[in-house]
Amino acid sequence: MRFAIKTRPEHTTWQQMRDVWVAADQFEIFESAWHWDHFYPLSGDMQGPNLEAWTTLAALAQATSRIRLGCQVTGMIYRHPAVLANMAATTDIISNGRLELGIGAGWNEMETAAYGIELYGLKERFDRFDEGAQAMIALLTEKVANFDGKYIKLTEAYCNPKPVQTPHPPITIGGKGPKRTLRAVAKWAQQWNVIVPNPQEWKALKDVLVQRCEEVGRDVSEITCSVNVRIDPDSPLDKAVAEAAAYGEAGVDLVIMNLPLDAPPSVLEPLAKALAPLA
Protein backbone atom coordinates (compact mmCIF):
# COMPACT_ATOMS: atom_id res chain seq x y z
CA MET A 1 0.00 0.00 0.00
CA ARG A 2 0.98 3.59 -0.60
CA PHE A 3 0.09 6.63 1.46
CA ALA A 4 -0.38 10.37 1.16
CA ILE A 5 -1.75 13.21 3.27
CA LYS A 6 -4.33 15.88 2.62
CA THR A 7 -4.76 19.19 4.43
CA ARG A 8 -7.79 21.43 4.43
CA PRO A 9 -6.97 25.00 3.35
CA GLU A 10 -10.01 26.33 5.23
CA HIS A 11 -9.98 28.17 8.55
CA THR A 12 -6.19 28.03 8.70
CA THR A 13 -3.14 30.10 7.84
CA TRP A 14 -0.57 29.77 5.10
CA GLN A 15 2.16 29.32 7.70
CA GLN A 16 0.42 26.39 9.36
CA MET A 17 -0.33 24.58 6.12
CA ARG A 18 3.22 25.14 4.87
CA ASP A 19 4.71 23.79 8.10
CA VAL A 20 2.68 20.57 7.81
CA TRP A 21 3.72 20.01 4.18
CA VAL A 22 7.37 20.74 4.94
CA ALA A 23 7.22 18.21 7.78
CA ALA A 24 5.50 15.61 5.56
CA ASP A 25 8.33 16.04 3.07
CA GLN A 26 10.61 14.35 5.63
CA PHE A 27 8.58 11.12 5.90
CA GLU A 28 9.12 8.86 2.91
CA ILE A 29 5.96 6.88 3.62
CA PHE A 30 3.95 9.89 2.43
CA GLU A 31 4.46 9.93 -1.33
CA SER A 32 2.24 12.95 -1.98
CA ALA A 33 0.38 15.79 -0.30
CA TRP A 34 -2.94 17.26 -1.40
CA HIS A 35 -5.37 20.05 -0.70
CA TRP A 36 -8.61 21.17 -2.37
CA ASP A 37 -9.74 23.73 -4.94
CA HIS A 38 -12.43 25.91 -3.37
CA PHE A 39 -12.82 29.59 -2.64
CA TYR A 40 -15.12 29.20 0.35
CA PRO A 41 -14.71 26.84 3.32
CA LEU A 42 -16.65 23.58 3.12
CA SER A 43 -17.35 23.47 6.86
CA GLY A 44 -17.91 25.88 9.72
CA ASP A 45 -18.28 29.56 8.93
CA MET A 46 -18.71 29.83 5.16
CA GLN A 47 -17.48 33.41 5.38
CA GLY A 48 -14.23 32.26 6.96
CA PRO A 49 -10.79 32.06 5.32
CA ASN A 50 -9.93 29.53 2.62
CA LEU A 51 -6.61 29.65 0.79
CA GLU A 52 -6.64 29.53 -3.02
CA ALA A 53 -5.42 26.24 -4.43
CA TRP A 54 -2.92 26.91 -7.19
CA THR A 55 -1.04 29.85 -5.72
CA THR A 56 -0.50 27.85 -2.53
CA LEU A 57 0.44 24.75 -4.55
CA ALA A 58 3.19 26.63 -6.36
CA ALA A 59 4.46 28.05 -3.08
CA LEU A 60 4.38 24.61 -1.45
CA ALA A 61 6.33 23.23 -4.39
CA GLN A 62 9.06 25.73 -3.61
CA ALA A 63 8.92 24.96 0.13
CA THR A 64 9.37 21.19 -0.34
CA SER A 65 11.86 19.02 -2.21
CA ARG A 66 10.68 15.39 -2.36
CA ILE A 67 6.97 14.93 -1.84
CA ARG A 68 4.62 15.06 -4.81
CA LEU A 69 1.93 17.74 -4.78
CA GLY A 70 -1.63 17.93 -6.00
CA CYS A 71 -5.02 19.56 -5.77
CA GLN A 72 -7.90 17.20 -5.14
CA VAL A 73 -9.36 18.25 -7.49
CA THR A 74 -9.28 21.39 -9.62
CA GLY A 75 -12.74 22.42 -10.80
CA MET A 76 -12.57 22.78 -14.57
CA ILE A 77 -15.29 25.44 -14.50
CA TYR A 78 -13.14 27.81 -12.43
CA ARG A 79 -10.35 28.41 -14.96
CA HIS A 80 -10.15 28.16 -18.72
CA PRO A 81 -8.40 24.86 -19.58
CA ALA A 82 -5.69 26.66 -21.54
CA VAL A 83 -4.93 28.87 -18.54
CA LEU A 84 -4.93 25.83 -16.26
CA ALA A 85 -2.54 23.99 -18.57
CA ASN A 86 -0.07 26.87 -18.34
CA MET A 87 -0.46 26.96 -14.56
CA ALA A 88 0.19 23.23 -14.38
CA ALA A 89 3.28 23.42 -16.59
CA THR A 90 4.74 26.23 -14.51
CA THR A 91 3.99 24.49 -11.20
CA ASP A 92 5.58 21.30 -12.50
CA ILE A 93 8.70 23.28 -13.37
CA ILE A 94 8.78 24.96 -9.94
CA SER A 95 8.48 21.55 -8.26
CA ASN A 96 11.05 19.93 -10.57
CA GLY A 97 8.54 17.42 -11.84
CA ARG A 98 6.48 16.64 -8.74
CA LEU A 99 3.03 17.83 -9.80
CA GLU A 100 -0.04 15.59 -9.72
CA LEU A 101 -2.62 17.27 -11.95
CA GLY A 102 -5.99 16.76 -10.27
CA ILE A 103 -9.08 17.77 -12.25
CA GLY A 104 -12.84 17.39 -11.94
CA ALA A 105 -15.99 18.82 -13.48
CA GLY A 106 -16.85 21.02 -10.48
CA TRP A 107 -19.95 21.07 -8.31
CA ASN A 108 -20.05 23.89 -5.74
CA GLU A 109 -23.17 25.93 -6.45
CA MET A 110 -22.57 28.31 -3.56
CA GLU A 111 -19.22 29.49 -4.91
CA THR A 112 -20.27 29.71 -8.52
CA ALA A 113 -23.41 31.67 -7.67
CA ALA A 114 -21.48 34.10 -5.47
CA TYR A 115 -18.74 34.69 -8.05
CA GLY A 116 -20.93 34.73 -11.15
CA ILE A 117 -19.25 31.61 -12.55
CA GLU A 118 -21.54 29.53 -14.75
CA LEU A 119 -22.00 26.05 -13.27
CA TYR A 120 -23.96 24.67 -16.26
CA GLY A 121 -26.23 21.66 -16.21
CA LEU A 122 -24.67 18.27 -15.63
CA LYS A 123 -24.48 17.23 -19.28
CA GLU A 124 -22.90 20.45 -20.49
CA ARG A 125 -20.60 20.57 -17.47
CA PHE A 126 -19.22 17.12 -18.28
CA ASP A 127 -19.07 17.87 -22.00
CA ARG A 128 -16.96 20.92 -21.15
CA PHE A 129 -14.84 18.81 -18.81
CA ASP A 130 -14.14 16.22 -21.52
CA GLU A 131 -13.13 18.92 -23.98
CA GLY A 132 -11.05 20.70 -21.35
CA ALA A 133 -9.11 17.57 -20.48
CA GLN A 134 -8.28 16.93 -24.13
CA ALA A 135 -7.30 20.56 -24.73
CA MET A 136 -5.01 20.55 -21.68
CA ILE A 137 -3.28 17.36 -22.78
CA ALA A 138 -2.75 18.84 -26.23
CA LEU A 139 -1.21 22.00 -24.80
CA LEU A 140 1.03 20.10 -22.38
CA THR A 141 2.31 17.62 -24.95
CA GLU A 142 2.26 19.24 -28.40
CA LYS A 143 4.51 22.02 -29.64
CA VAL A 144 1.55 23.70 -31.31
CA ALA A 145 -1.92 22.69 -30.16
CA ASN A 146 -5.15 22.82 -32.11
CA PHE A 147 -8.51 21.73 -30.78
CA ASP A 148 -11.93 22.34 -32.28
CA GLY A 149 -14.53 21.47 -29.68
CA LYS A 150 -18.02 22.78 -29.17
CA TYR A 151 -16.94 24.80 -26.13
CA ILE A 152 -13.13 24.83 -26.19
CA LYS A 153 -11.12 25.93 -29.20
CA LEU A 154 -7.35 26.17 -29.60
CA THR A 155 -5.84 27.71 -32.71
CA GLU A 156 -2.09 27.38 -33.21
CA ALA A 157 -1.82 27.56 -29.42
CA TYR A 158 1.42 27.40 -27.44
CA CYS A 159 2.11 26.32 -23.87
CA ASN A 160 5.77 27.11 -23.44
CA PRO A 161 7.78 26.09 -21.46
CA LYS A 162 6.55 22.55 -21.22
CA PRO A 163 6.31 20.69 -17.89
CA VAL A 164 9.24 18.65 -16.63
CA GLN A 165 7.27 15.40 -16.62
CA THR A 166 6.59 13.71 -19.93
CA PRO A 167 4.32 13.28 -21.69
CA HIS A 168 2.60 15.45 -19.05
CA PRO A 169 2.11 15.53 -15.27
CA PRO A 170 0.02 12.53 -14.17
CA ILE A 171 -3.69 13.36 -14.30
CA THR A 172 -5.92 12.52 -11.35
CA ILE A 173 -9.65 12.60 -12.03
CA GLY A 174 -11.89 12.67 -8.99
CA GLY A 175 -15.45 11.44 -8.75
CA LYS A 176 -17.69 8.39 -8.91
CA GLY A 177 -20.21 8.99 -11.68
CA PRO A 178 -20.41 5.62 -13.46
CA LYS A 179 -21.12 6.98 -16.92
CA ARG A 180 -19.25 10.24 -17.48
CA THR A 181 -16.63 10.41 -14.71
CA LEU A 182 -15.39 6.83 -14.87
CA ARG A 183 -15.35 6.94 -18.67
CA ALA A 184 -13.15 10.06 -18.44
CA VAL A 185 -10.89 8.24 -15.97
CA ALA A 186 -10.54 5.34 -18.39
CA LYS A 187 -9.64 7.66 -21.24
CA TRP A 188 -7.28 10.17 -19.69
CA ALA A 189 -6.35 9.57 -16.04
CA GLN A 190 -3.28 8.08 -14.43
CA GLN A 191 -5.03 8.17 -11.05
CA TRP A 192 -8.66 7.86 -10.00
CA ASN A 193 -9.67 9.34 -6.65
CA VAL A 194 -13.02 8.76 -5.01
CA ILE A 195 -14.54 9.42 -1.60
CA VAL A 196 -16.76 6.53 -0.53
CA PRO A 197 -18.15 5.36 2.83
CA ASN A 198 -16.74 1.82 2.76
CA PRO A 199 -14.60 -0.64 0.76
CA GLN A 200 -17.67 -2.46 -0.55
CA GLU A 201 -18.92 0.62 -2.39
CA TRP A 202 -15.42 1.22 -3.70
CA LYS A 203 -15.19 -2.33 -5.10
CA ALA A 204 -18.49 -1.86 -6.93
CA LEU A 205 -17.20 1.34 -8.53
CA LYS A 206 -13.88 -0.32 -9.39
CA ASP A 207 -15.83 -2.98 -11.29
CA VAL A 208 -17.45 -0.21 -13.33
CA LEU A 209 -14.04 1.34 -14.01
CA VAL A 210 -12.77 -2.02 -15.26
CA GLN A 211 -15.71 -2.11 -17.67
CA ARG A 212 -15.08 1.45 -18.86
CA CYS A 213 -11.41 0.63 -19.45
CA GLU A 214 -12.38 -2.42 -21.50
CA GLU A 215 -14.68 -0.24 -23.60
CA VAL A 216 -11.83 2.15 -24.54
CA GLY A 217 -9.10 -0.50 -24.77
CA ARG A 218 -7.24 0.58 -21.64
CA ASP A 219 -5.49 -1.62 -19.08
CA VAL A 220 -7.03 -0.67 -15.73
CA SER A 221 -3.75 -1.55 -13.98
CA GLU A 222 -2.28 1.60 -15.54
CA ILE A 223 -4.52 3.67 -13.26
CA THR A 224 -3.66 4.24 -9.60
CA CYS A 225 -6.82 3.88 -7.50
CA SER A 226 -6.90 6.18 -4.49
CA VAL A 227 -9.37 6.90 -1.70
CA ASN A 228 -9.51 9.34 1.18
CA VAL A 229 -9.59 8.29 4.83
CA ARG A 230 -10.50 10.96 7.33
CA ILE A 231 -8.65 11.12 10.64
CA ASP A 232 -11.13 12.05 13.35
CA PRO A 233 -9.37 14.08 16.05
CA ASP A 234 -11.87 12.74 18.60
CA SER A 235 -11.17 9.07 17.80
CA PRO A 236 -8.08 6.91 18.28
CA LEU A 237 -5.63 6.99 15.38
CA ASP A 238 -5.95 3.21 15.16
CA LYS A 239 -9.47 3.61 13.78
CA ALA A 240 -8.29 5.52 10.71
CA VAL A 241 -5.37 3.12 10.24
CA ALA A 242 -7.74 0.14 10.35
CA GLU A 243 -9.96 1.82 7.76
CA ALA A 244 -6.93 2.36 5.52
CA ALA A 245 -5.99 -1.31 5.91
CA ALA A 246 -9.50 -2.38 4.88
CA TYR A 247 -9.26 -0.35 1.69
CA GLY A 248 -5.87 -1.89 0.98
CA GLU A 249 -7.33 -5.36 1.34
CA ALA A 250 -10.09 -4.37 -1.10
CA GLY A 251 -7.48 -3.46 -3.72
CA VAL A 252 -6.96 0.28 -3.28
CA ASP A 253 -3.44 1.37 -4.31
CA LEU A 254 -3.11 4.71 -2.53
CA VAL A 255 -4.80 5.87 0.68
CA ILE A 256 -4.81 9.60 1.28
CA MET A 257 -5.04 10.38 4.98
CA ASN A 258 -7.12 13.53 5.54
CA LEU A 259 -5.58 15.36 8.47
CA PRO A 260 -7.80 17.10 11.03
CA LEU A 261 -8.31 20.81 10.64
CA ASP A 262 -5.38 22.77 12.06
CA ALA A 263 -3.41 19.60 12.75
CA PRO A 264 0.16 20.52 13.75
CA PRO A 265 3.21 18.96 12.08
CA SER A 266 3.67 16.77 15.16
CA VAL A 267 0.73 14.54 14.06
CA LEU A 268 2.79 13.16 11.18
CA GLU A 269 5.34 11.09 13.10
CA PRO A 270 2.81 8.90 14.97
CA LEU A 271 0.78 8.58 11.77
CA ALA A 272 3.82 7.47 9.80
CA LYS A 273 4.70 4.89 12.46
CA ALA A 274 1.14 3.55 12.57
CA LEU A 275 0.96 3.16 8.80
CA ALA A 276 4.43 1.66 8.37
CA PRO A 277 3.32 -1.99 8.86
CA LEU A 278 0.83 -1.56 5.99
CA ALA A 279 3.27 -0.04 3.52
Side-chain angles (χ1 to χ4, degrees):
M1 290 182 66
R2 296 148 53 194
F3 296 99
I5 64 158
K6 182 177 180 180
T7 57
R8 292 155 57 183
E10 62 176 0
H11 305 300
T12 191
T13 65
W14 155 245
Q15 292 82 2
Q16 180 153 1
M17 189 163 71
R18 178 200 59 201
D19 289 351
V20 171
W21 284 49
V22 168
D25 199 33
Q26 307 306 311
F27 293 92
E28 291 191 6
I29 194 170
F30 303 125
E31 69 172 52
S32 54
W34 304 77
H35 63 9
W36 69 40
D37 182 31
H38 291 286
F39 304 108
Y40 282 20
L42 297 184
S43 67
D45 181 6
M46 300 301 171
Q47 298 179 13
N50 188 87
L51 294 164
E52 195 278 325
W54 278 85
T55 44
T56 55
L57 201 61
L60 290 162
Q62 181 70 12
T64 56
S65 61
R66 178 199 60 85
I67 201 164
R68 298 184 63 80
L69 316 97
C71 174
Q72 197 189 67
V73 290
T74 308
M76 190 73 79
I77 54 173
Y78 292 140
R79 304 164 189 83
H80 191 285
V83 174
L84 183 56
N86 277 269
M87 293 165 60
T90 298
T91 305
D92 198 51
I93 291 167
I94 292 171
S95 69
N96 194 28
R98 291 182 287 128
L99 176 67
E100 299 280 338
L101 178 49
I103 54 175
W107 59 270
N108 195 310
E109 187 174 355
M110 178 179 62
E111 292 175 339
T112 55
Y115 285 3
I117 297 171
E118 188 69 43
L119 183 60
Y120 309 108
L122 275 175
K123 182 182 184 304
E124 181 174 340
R125 196 185 318 162
F126 278 92
D127 288 346
R128 287 176 175 271
F129 174 80
D130 287 350
E131 289 190 10
Q134 294 172 81
M136 288 179 63
I137 291 171
L139 283 163
L140 292 169
T141 59
E142 300 171 11
K143 182 178 180 181
V144 183
N146 290 278
F147 185 81
D148 187 19
K150 180 178 180 181
Y151 304 104
I152 307 298
K153 297 184 184 295
L154 303 175
T155 305
E156 301 294 307
Y158 292 88
C159 177
N160 190 20
K162 289 285 188 276
V164 173
Q165 298 179 88
T166 57
H168 54 75
I171 292 173
T172 295
I173 294 179
K176 59 183 178 181
K179 294 182 179 179
R180 299 300 301 268
T181 300
L182 293 185
R183 183 175 292 114
V185 171
K187 288 182 176 179
W188 302 302
Q190 284 70 58
Q191 182 182 147
W192 166 49
N193 177 260
V194 66
I195 299 173
V196 287
N198 55 64
Q200 291 72 33
E201 184 170 327
W202 178 83
K203 289 176 74 173
L205 289 169
K206 174 66 181 295
D207 289 341
V208 177
L209 178 60
V210 170
Q211 181 182 346
R212 296 290 172 260
C213 285
E214 290 174 350
E215 291 168 356
V216 301
R218 180 97 181 269
D219 184 349
V220 72
S221 67
E222 297 174 1
I223 301 170
T224 292
C225 295
S226 68
V227 299
N228 291 19
V229 168
R230 179 174 175 266
I231 299 174
D232 186 344
D234 298 322
S235 299
L237 182 59
D238 291 350
K239 181 180 178 181
V241 173
E243 186 177 349
Y247 278 110
E249 291 173 1
V252 170
D253 303 303
L254 173 65
V255 177
I256 300 171
M257 308 300 292
N258 288 209
L259 302 183
L261 182 64
D262 278 344
S266 59
V267 305
L268 295 172
E269 184 172 3
L271 178 60
K273 289 181 178 178
L275 294 173
L278 305 177

